[in-house]
Amino acid sequence: MANLKEIRNRISSVSSTMQITSAMKMVSAAKLKKAQDAITAMRPYSNKLSELLQSLSATLDESSGSKFAEQREVENVLVVAITSNRGLCGAFNSNIIKQTQHLINSVYASKNVSVLAIGKKANDAFAKQDRVIANKSEIFDNLTFDNVSEIAEMLMEEFVAGTYDKIEIVYNHFKNAATQIIITEQFLPIVPVEADDSVNLDYVFEPSKLEIVEELIPKSLKTQLYKGIRDSFASEHGARMTAMHKATDNATELRDQLKLTYNKARQAAITNEILEIVGGAEALNN
């Protein structure tokens, strides 16, 4: 049986770990509420903007298509991998890295694939493969629409210049605190939508419909990227809260088991001492 001192040290160590994980769980829960409110409030606007853009784009002639909708033969692909800057959030980061690796090795195996890392974990994973063109981990220090817009503008410029023929975004979609869904979303070129005759767009456009679409597209792309990063940010705190909750439960269970083991060992030691005393007393009497 283990030494009593060793068991006491293990109990102390597990208790300290349990306090840390419990504190991290509470911190993540507080941050999750704010992040969840932000993404929940943003989704209706983002969805409506995309719906409006698609409805307008579907009614335009092919000859008046946007430069952001140009379909080219895919040779150079850019994958925007959105992870976190810190760990201790379960499989949150590894799932994004695996999906990005799947795109590199399978979907675009014969293409030139580069990675734009948003989050230190993505940068650490793909920098070793010499695929990272830029690391935008600092975006989480001040996550605002204006800061994300700068990244979106850079992506749009690279696409228009022909540096990349296709740009994909990989991120965690926030469903609830315990569930995150891996999303692979095409950023550029804009996915063409077939015209729907059932949609009535009998409106007067001022200025022209084409000018409105050209104005909406950059705004829609910026919103799309911002929504993806916001989704990932909320998912990170949800994943960390869940991971720390499980870690706290496991630490509590282990601590209770160690305490039981300690009490058994202590009882055995006391029993042995009593037997030795009784045996010594009987030897003296004889």
Side-chain angles (χ1 to χ4, degrees):
M1 188 168 288
N3 185 283
L4 287 176
K5 185 177 180 181
E6 292 178 358
I7 298 176
R8 280 200 304 269
N9 290 339
R10 288 196 64 192
I11 292 173
S12 177
S13 176
V14 171
S15 297
S16 298
T17 301
M18 186 179 67
Q19 290 177 349
I20 294 171
T21 56
S22 179
M24 291 183 68
K25 172 192 168 184
M26 290 188 289
V27 170
S28 292
K31 290 183 177 180
L32 172 62
K33 180 64 171 64
K34 185 177 179 181
Q36 184 177 357
D37 290 344
I39 187 60
T40 302
M42 182 185 176
R43 277 176 184 164
Y45 170 78
S46 176
N47 294 338
K48 193 64 180 177
L49 182 61
S50 298
E51 179 186 333
L52 177 61
L53 179 62
Q54 289 176 354
S55 298
L56 288 171
S57 299
T59 62
L60 291 174
D61 297 331
E62 292 184 4
S63 59
S64 58
S66 169
K67 57 186 177 182
F68 299 116
E70 181 185 353
Q71 301 291 327
R72 302 192 289 256
E73 183 179 353
V74 177
E75 289 296 334
N76 299 299
V77 180
L78 178 63
V79 179
V80 182
I82 305 175
T83 61
S84 67
N85 287 337
R86 295 181 296 165
L88 296 177
C89 45
F92 173 83
N93 291 312
S94 61
N95 286 339
I96 296 295
I97 293 170
K98 287 179 182 177
Q99 178 61 18
T100 305
Q101 198 65 57
H102 171 69
L103 293 176
I104 294 172
N105 296 336
S106 300
V107 180
Y108 301 115
S110 61
K111 313 299 181 184
N112 299 319
V113 184
S114 302
V115 176
L116 173 65
I118 299 181
K120 291 180 181 178
K121 295 301 179 180
N123 182 67
D124 293 343
F126 296 105
K128 300 174 184 177
Q129 303 177 20
D130 197 27
R131 292 187 182 274
V132 178
I133 63 164
N135 178 17
K136 299 295 183 179
S137 304
E138 71 281 354
I139 194 69
F140 293 110
D141 296 334
N142 186 21
L143 185 52
T144 63
F145 182 78
D146 290 339
N147 289 337
V148 174
S149 294
E150 294 178 4
I151 301 176
E153 287 172 359
M154 180 195 76
L155 295 176
M156 287 185 276
E157 289 172 2
E158 293 289 342
F159 177 78
V160 172
T163 306
Y164 302 105
D165 304 310
K166 192 173 185 179
I167 300 177
E168 301 259 29
I169 305 175
V170 181
Y171 65 95
N172 280 287
H173 169 71
F174 178 79
K175 184 175 181 181
N176 54 52
T179 307
Q180 297 83 38
I181 303 171
I182 305 298
I183 298 291
T184 301
E185 196 170 82
Q186 183 169 318
F187 185 70
L188 285 169
I190 296 172
V191 181
V193 179
E194 295 181 359
D196 187 355
D197 295 334
S198 64
V199 178
N200 182 18
L201 288 176
D202 188 16
Y203 303 130
V204 175
F205 296 96
E206 181 64 35
S208 68
K209 187 188 299 184
L210 178 59
E211 289 178 283
I212 293 174
V213 171
E214 290 294 336
E215 180 70 25
L216 279 178
I217 286 176
K219 183 178 291 186
S220 177
L221 290 171
K222 292 174 184 178
T223 303
Q224 180 184 353
L225 181 60
Y226 184 57
K227 181 178 71 70
I229 297 177
R230 270 291 177 192
D231 242 335
S232 179
F233 190 62
S235 298
E236 175 193 348
H237 292 304
R240 182 171 291 111
M241 186 185 76
T242 302
M244 292 301 100
H245 176 71
K246 291 179 180 178
T248 302
D249 289 346
N250 292 338
T252 301
E253 183 180 350
L254 179 57
R255 184 194 61 181
D256 293 342
Q257 291 176 352
L258 287 171
K259 284 185 175 180
L260 183 61
T261 302
Y262 176 79
N263 289 333
K264 287 181 179 179
R266 186 167 172 271
Q267 282 182 331
I270 292 173
T271 301
N272 288 334
E273 289 177 2
I274 292 174
L275 290 175
E276 289 176 0
I277 292 171
V278 172
E282 288 181 355
L284 290 174
N285 289 336
N286 294 332

